[in-house]
Structures are given as C-alpha cells and as structure tokens.
Amino acid sequence: MELRLFVGLGNPGPQYTQTRHNAGFLAVDALVQRWQFSWVEKSRFKGYLAEGSGPAGRAILLKPTTYMNHSGQSVRAVADYFRLLPAQVLVLYDEVALPLGKIRLRPEGSAAGHNGIKSLIEHLGTNQFARLRIGIGREPPPPVLTNYVLGKFAPEEQEQLPAILDGCVEAVEAVLAKGLEKAMSIYNARSFGSPPDP
C-alpha cells in the first residue's frame, strides 16, 4: 500500500487549543492515539510529524505550525521530502458551513473561503487532494464568523466532540480499507455526537 499523508489544519499555541478552527488538529491527534504513533516537532517541515505503520501500510501525520493561512508551506515541504503526490494527501479541517456532528469526505474541491485549504492549493499547485471536512457550524449562523471559529467549543459541544472525533477516525480508516467513494457513501450521510432529542 502506498504511503499516505494525513494533514490536520489548525493554529499552534495554547490560546488556540480546543478552538473550533483547530478541529483538524483534534482529528489527527485522535488518529495518532488510535494508531499509537507519537508527535515529534520537525523544524525542517514547519510542523509536528508522526510516522508509523497504519491500518493499511505506512502513514505520516502532520500538524503544521505555520498558522492556518500558511499551512501549504509545511505540507509542500513534507510532500517534497517524501516524494508524495497530491493524490496521496488527505486533509482534515473545520467547516463552518456544516453543522456540528456532520463530516464530509471529498476527493477534491475549491478552498470555499477556508484560508488553510487556499494555502494548500497555492503551494501544491492543485486542488486535487482528498479532504475530510469537520462540521463546526450552527443555526442560526453566528453574527461574527471570525470570533466564532476562533472561539473555544462550548461545554455542550465539548460533550459531542469525542463521538465526532471517533467518527473522523472511522472515516479515515474506511478510506484506507474501502476507498474514498465507498467511505463517502457511508460517512457523509451520518451524524456523530448529536445531542439527544428533548
């Protein structure tokens, strides 16, 4: 099985821990825990790297420390060093257009206003890489979007997070075991960690 790179997007530093915009970091942290890898800071890659044998061969996980808007610098450095093609990359990141509890796998696409994905497209020179979007949105939409995405998960959202992150791990492992199209058909329709009905 060919090497795969799993990238979680977020912002470094304690002030951003547990913020909605760092959902990608939380998801790759969950993968590292599941696969029993360990994070090591690599200055040459401008990020934290974890390597090992995953459920379908060798895997590399990355958390860029460039801040969200420059994530592509880190991803390009890792891709060049390991001679990876964009088709071998899967990016996990927050999506305010999706409600909390929903995830969406996609084979490619535009940045859709997400600065981290915009940076990846710029530095990789293509939008042809897979992504797993993690819903952080709500109804009604927040009045100030920047404050909302950079804000910490509310207590009731924190209660949902473990199930959501488990869903992300399951979805990634389904991609490896069954392929992207099959995983999309299973996980794009599901909800994770939804609060119980009153």
Side-chain angles (χ1 to χ4, degrees), residues 34-70:
R34 174 72 160 258
W35 297 346
Q36 298 184 329
F37 292 2
S38 297
W39 289 116
V40 179
E41 188 169 10
K42 299 281 189 179
S43 57
R44 72 182 297 167
F45 299 135
K46 300 179 181 178
Y48 285 89
L49 214 67
E51 301 177 70
S53 180
R58 189 174 173 214
I60 296 173
L61 295 98
L62 172 67
K63 290 196 296 186
T65 53
T66 54
Y67 289 95
M68 183 70 80
N69 294 6
H70 302 288

Side-chain angles (χ1 to χ4, degrees), residues 93 106-112 117-118 121 126-131 133:
Y93 64 99
R106 293 186 65 187
E108 86 297 302
S110 69
I117 296 298
K118 182 180 178 181
I121 292 171
T126 180
N127 67 355
Q128 302 292 303
F129 52 85
R131 61 281 309 268
R133 297 153 59 214

Side-chain angles (χ1 to χ4, degrees), residues 2-5 45 58 60 75-89:
E2 67 181 10
L3 179 69
R4 276 190 174 268
L5 172 62
F45 299 135
R58 189 174 173 214
I60 296 173
V75 176
R76 180 60 188 266
V78 173
D80 285 352
Y81 181 84
F82 291 101
R83 299 178 181 175
L84 297 170
L85 300 172
Q88 294 172 279
V89 178

Side-chain angles (χ1 to χ4, degrees), residues 95-110:
E95 176 55 79
V96 74
L98 279 177
L100 189 74
K102 290 285 189 180
I103 63 175
R104 288 285 187 279
L105 286 160
R106 293 186 65 187
E108 86 297 302
S110 69

